[in-house]
Amino acid sequence: MSEITNLHDLPLVVGVDIGGTQVRVAVLQGATLLSRVDLLTGENAIPERLISCIYNAVRKALDEASTRLDQIIGIGIGSPGPLDSHTGIVFDPPNMPGWHNVPLRDIFKEHYDLPVFVENDTNAAALGEYLFGAGRGSRSMVYLTISTGIGGGVIINGKILGGISGTAAELGHITIDRHGDRCNCGNIGCLESIASGTAIARRANEAMAGDIDFRNWMSERLPHNIAVSELATLPVNKDESGQKNLVDARLVAEAAAKGVPLACEIIHDAAEAIGIGLTNIIHIFNPELIILGGGVTQIGPLLIEPALHIVQERAMKVPRDAVRIVQAQLGTDAGLVGAGALIYSNIS
Amino acid sequence: MSEITNLHDLPLVVGVDIGGTQVRVAVLQGATLLSRVDLLTGENAIPERLISCIYNAVRKALDEASTRLDQIIGIGIGSPGPLDSHTGIVFDPPNMPGWHNVPLRDIFKEHYDLPVFVENDTNAAALGEYLFGAGRGSRSMVYLTISTGIGGGVIINGKILGGISGTAAELGHITIDRHGDRCNCGNIGCLESIASGTAIARRANEAMAGDIDFRNWMSERLPHNIAVSELATLPVNKDESGQKNLVDARLVAEAAAKGVPLACEIIHDAAEAIGIGLTNIIHIFNPELIILGGGVTQIGPLLIEPALHIVQERAMKVPRDAVRIVQAQLGTDAGLVGAGALIYSNIS
């Protein structure tokens, strides 16, 4: 299905969006959620226990949407990777302890006797944007999500670029600074290690250690912030005085917006890295469209404008003139809509 | 055509490989050259003049192969980019002065009344390796050629990854050192600016300026080398004493093989950059196969082994275990075979 023409004709699907902290389940018609059930993943989310909770959530979601299982044409599952989308086996997601080579697709297929497709969560979100969001009408596009981590999803002629093991498009793990820090993935100087929410927060905490003014500025604002940390949040750190600090990317952006020099520097550095990442994507894929999503992009022009300036300055003219760079449209529902989109994309 | 099964059944094609210094024309059956005509591009290769020379070369190649034009099913043309493979228009190749938006495909189509396909030379070579070389039997692969510059070609499910303007897969122009030097393309710290033959030679010349022993070692060997410079060659430089120097990547590799410390350092640095480039490719495409071609890879284990070591150390386990990294098989004929392969790939 390369483009959805009439949204009302779309059959119903179930979308399951598995994350490290919560699982969301919905009955969907295209991008419309007819019901939604959220459940916490919990600390001991061994596969058997979590899967049985998901079965319950699916039953509840069907009830809430007044829908019977036989009205559903398939179940799409977005899960943290690495996973093999061809076989539906989830390998060892770093934030899903206890998960090891789980044949998620076959488990669900056997339980429901319905078509089931499993895809890396970012690829699913990319497909959601492609079919129902900012990517509608395009044939090929790149989705870049900048959040706690940085992920990518690439659609070429309507199909997810999966690679031989379904782990392609790890666009946050392109080395852009060969002399940089080691990334969580084991590689050096990845885009994620410089421009993710976690990286921005880490750099702010490091900067605070060496700059009393910056630390004071941050400390005064911390009480407001501790409760609201939609963006990446560092684990609680202690500074020299033994005081706890908790600074996230949102607070750093707020400080930068008010002109605090160290915060400006950190945000500008992340923006430059994002601009380099975008330039790399343009040179690699020569895409028609790049869609930017994820909480960190909500920092807005302060982050995005210098990034686009880098693209103007550095990308080759022909592919630079051909690309449109836009914001994602599906927001926090991207994962669920994307999970459902797996069914629309695979069953025509 | 995803795989060629019987090479003897293949129809005849004409391949044209346009380069900055020479144009090669051949009548081909698969990877077999039935004839070959080379001509120098010359200094004033304005399109009209060069194209008329190519027409003559095609006639000569047909004669030499005792073939009539009506036995040919199509003409494939590989040309320096940037170009749009959909329309066959060649934009402004940096090493083809006077060329500006030349509708190469339509010009040849009108002249010969045959199917004509035009592709960026590296993409064509990638397709050649895919159909007739080291890529046979694979479905998806990445071709990386390290020569004067560094280029890439990506095949996904049998099709060249072209992008919206046909300029995708510029794998030499991925920034891997955000604080690096400006590349010829205008970007900063591109793989090409560190690990191409030109970059290796440039670094050696810079190193010689500051190190008398290294300069002496190199100078003693220069007479042998000036005539043979298959690898990238710097324009003649003058050192402080006004003496001319001409050091190419091959000589640097020779010095490194003999343990000259500065040369070892330069080759090792290029190897590290190539390893980073390969790791990036693995994370981006999760390919089944990476084919390494181009003169610089002929340096051999001295360059390739440390590069593969970097891949082992830094690439994520799942895609790293899935990829095979091999040498190209078509050698200097890759461009011609690739040009012909455009016809086999597009006409089934």
Side-chain angles (χ1 to χ4, degrees):
Chain A
M1 189 179 294
S2 66
E3 200 178 341
I4 304 292
T5 44
N6 190 340
L7 297 179
H8 302 291
D9 290 345
L10 285 174
L12 303 184
V13 299
V14 166
V16 179
D17 180 20
I18 302 178
T21 50
Q22 63 172 359
V23 178
R24 306 168 79 203
V25 176
V27 174
L28 297 124
Q29 185 174 37
T32 307
L33 276 67
L34 304 184
S35 65
R36 199 184 90 196
V37 177
D38 295 354
L39 58 107
L40 290 176
T41 310
E43 284 189 1
N44 298 304
I46 56 161
E48 294 73 14
R49 198 177 308 164
L50 189 63
I51 288 168
S52 127
C53 291
I54 295 174
Y55 292 160
N56 288 334
V58 169
R59 193 175 321 122
K60 217 168 141 193
L62 287 167
D63 282 352
E64 284 183 14
S66 308
T67 306
R68 296 184 319 272
L69 193 61
D70 62 12
Q71 294 174 284
I72 298 294
I73 63 157
I75 300 177
I77 306 177
S79 161
L83 58 79
D84 185 336
S85 56
H86 309 300
T87 59
I89 293 174
V90 178
F91 301 124
D92 302 277
N95 54 353
M96 304 281 286
W99 283 54
H100 178 70
N101 295 349
V102 178
L104 204 55
R105 185 193 63 185
D106 290 348
I107 292 172
F108 272 75
K109 220 168 173 174
E110 195 165 317
H111 187 82
Y112 287 108
D113 195 23
L114 273 174
V116 176
F117 292 91
V118 177
E119 188 49 87
N120 155 337
D121 43 10
T122 315
N123 283 348
L127 190 68
E129 289 286 347
Y130 174 74
L131 286 181
F132 302 111
R136 288 186 69 183
S138 71
R139 286 191 52 73
S140 298
M141 50 155 264
V142 176
Y143 173 70
L144 186 72
T145 173
I146 308 172
S147 171
T148 315
I150 297 185
V154 176
I155 311 284
I156 295 172
N157 293 326
K159 292 280 162 210
I160 292 170
L161 174 69
I164 185 79
S165 350
T167 71
E170 283 288 4
L171 305 181
H173 299 287
I174 298 177
T175 295
I176 65 166
D177 184 0
R178 61 185 300 212
H179 305 297
D181 296 329
R182 193 165 292 273
C183 179
N184 285 336
C185 76
N187 195 7
I188 302 278
C190 293
L191 175 60
E192 174 168 306
S193 71
I194 302 164
S196 67
T198 312
I200 292 171
R202 189 195 67 235
R203 290 181 158 211
N205 277 279
E206 286 166 6
M208 284 197 300
D211 188 300
I212 293 176
D213 288 344
F214 187 52
R215 186 161 66 238
N216 287 344
W217 194 96
M218 285 292 186
S219 299
E220 281 168 27
R221 279 140 190 99
L222 274 180
H224 312 289
N225 192 64
I226 288 175
V228 207
S229 53
E230 283 176 45
L231 300 182
T233 304
L234 261 197
V236 176
N237 292 324
K238 287 184 181 174
D239 66 13
E240 304 118 281
S241 67
Q243 217 186 337
K244 283 181 179 180
N245 285 323
L246 191 76
V247 165
D248 67 13
R250 170 183 294 254
L251 190 62
V252 182
E254 204 185 294
K258 292 198 172 124
V260 177
L262 267 170
C264 290
E265 226 171 83
I266 292 165
I267 294 294
H268 192 86
D269 194 59
E272 189 192 90
I274 292 167
I276 292 168
L278 291 170
T279 302
N280 285 344
I281 288 168
I282 290 169
H283 289 175
I284 296 162
F285 293 107
N286 175 209
E288 178 181 352
L289 184 69
I290 299 175
I291 299 178
L292 291 176
V296 171
T297 61
Q298 289 165 25
I299 291 174
L302 197 68
L303 185 80
I304 302 303
E305 275 177 13
L308 296 181
H309 182 76
I310 293 280
V311 170
Q312 278 303 319
E313 197 181 87
R314 301 195 189 173
M316 295 179 192
K317 187 172 169 20
V318 173
R320 183 185 76 215
D321 286 351
V323 72
R324 283 182 303 126
I325 302 177
V326 303
Q327 282 281 325
Q329 284 181 0
L330 298 179
T332 50
D333 286 335
L336 270 175
V337 174
L342 292 171
I343 305 300
Y344 298 118
S345 173
N346 284 292
I347 304 178
S348 50
Chain B
M1 190 180 294
S2 65
E3 200 178 340
I4 304 293
T5 45
N6 190 341
L7 295 179
H8 301 291
D9 290 346
L10 284 173
L12 302 184
V13 299
V14 165
V16 179
D17 180 19
I18 302 178
T21 50
Q22 63 172 359
V23 179
R24 305 168 80 203
V25 176
V27 175
L28 298 125
Q29 185 174 37
T32 307
L33 276 66
L34 304 185
S35 64
R36 200 185 91 196
V37 176
D38 294 355
L39 59 107
L40 289 177
T41 309
E43 284 190 1
N44 298 302
I46 57 162
E48 293 74 13
R49 198 177 308 165
L50 190 62
I51 288 168
S52 127
C53 291
I54 295 174
Y55 292 160
N56 288 335
V58 170
R59 193 175 323 123
K60 216 168 143 193
L62 288 168
D63 282 352
E64 285 183 13
S66 308
T67 306
R68 294 185 320 273
L69 192 61
D70 63 13
Q71 294 174 283
I72 299 293
I73 64 157
I75 300 178
I77 305 177
S79 162
L83 59 77
D84 185 335
S85 56
H86 309 302
T87 60
I89 293 174
V90 178
F91 300 124
D92 301 277
N95 53 354
M96 304 281 285
W99 284 54
H100 178 70
N101 295 349
V102 178
L104 204 56
R105 185 191 63 186
D106 290 349
I107 291 172
F108 272 77
K109 220 168 170 172
E110 195 166 314
H111 187 82
Y112 288 106
D113 194 23
L114 274 174
V116 176
F117 292 92
V118 176
E119 187 51 86
N120 154 337
D121 43 12
T122 316
N123 284 348
L127 190 68
E129 289 286 347
Y130 175 75
L131 286 182
F132 301 111
R136 289 186 69 182
S138 70
R139 285 191 52 72
S140 299
M141 49 154 264
V142 176
Y143 173 70
L144 186 72
T145 174
I146 308 172
S147 170
T148 314
I150 296 185
V154 176
I155 311 284
I156 296 172
N157 293 326
K159 292 279 163 209
I160 292 170
L161 174 68
I164 183 80
S165 348
T167 71
E170 283 288 4
L171 305 181
H173 299 286
I174 298 178
T175 293
I176 65 166
D177 184 0
R178 63 185 299 214
H179 304 298
D181 296 329
R182 192 165 293 274
C183 179
N184 285 336
C185 76
N187 195 7
I188 301 277
C190 293
L191 175 59
E192 174 168 307
S193 70
I194 302 165
S196 68
T198 312
I200 291 172
R202 190 193 69 237
R203 292 184 156 209
N205 276 278
E206 286 166 6
M208 285 198 299
D211 188 298
I212 293 175
D213 288 343
F214 188 51
R215 186 160 67 238
N216 286 343
W217 194 96
M218 285 292 183
S219 299
E220 281 168 27
R221 277 139 191 102
L222 273 180
H224 313 291
N225 194 62
I226 288 177
V228 207
S229 53
E230 282 177 46
L231 300 182
T233 303
L234 261 199
V236 176
N237 291 323
K238 288 184 181 175
D239 66 13
E240 305 118 280
S241 67
Q243 216 186 339
K244 284 181 179 180
N245 284 324
L246 190 76
V247 165
D248 67 13
R250 170 183 293 253
L251 189 62
V252 182
E254 203 185 296
K258 295 202 169 117
V260 178
L262 268 171
C264 290
E265 226 171 82
I266 292 166
I267 294 294
H268 192 85
D269 194 60
E272 189 191 89
I274 292 167
I276 292 168
L278 291 170
T279 303
N280 285 344
I281 288 169
I282 290 168
H283 289 176
I284 295 162
F285 293 106
N286 176 207
E288 179 180 350
L289 184 67
I290 300 176
I291 298 178
L292 291 176
V296 172
T297 60
Q298 289 165 24
I299 290 174
L302 197 69
L303 184 81
I304 302 303
E305 274 175 16
L308 296 181
H309 182 76
I310 292 280
V311 170
Q312 278 303 318
E313 196 181 87
R314 301 195 189 174
M316 295 179 190
K317 186 172 171 14
V318 173
R320 183 185 74 215
D321 287 351
V323 73
R324 283 183 303 127
I325 302 177
V326 303
Q327 281 281 325
Q329 285 179 0
L330 297 180
T332 50
D333 285 336
L336 269 176
V337 174
L342 292 170
I343 304 300
Y344 299 117
S345 173
N346 284 290
I347 305 178
S348 51

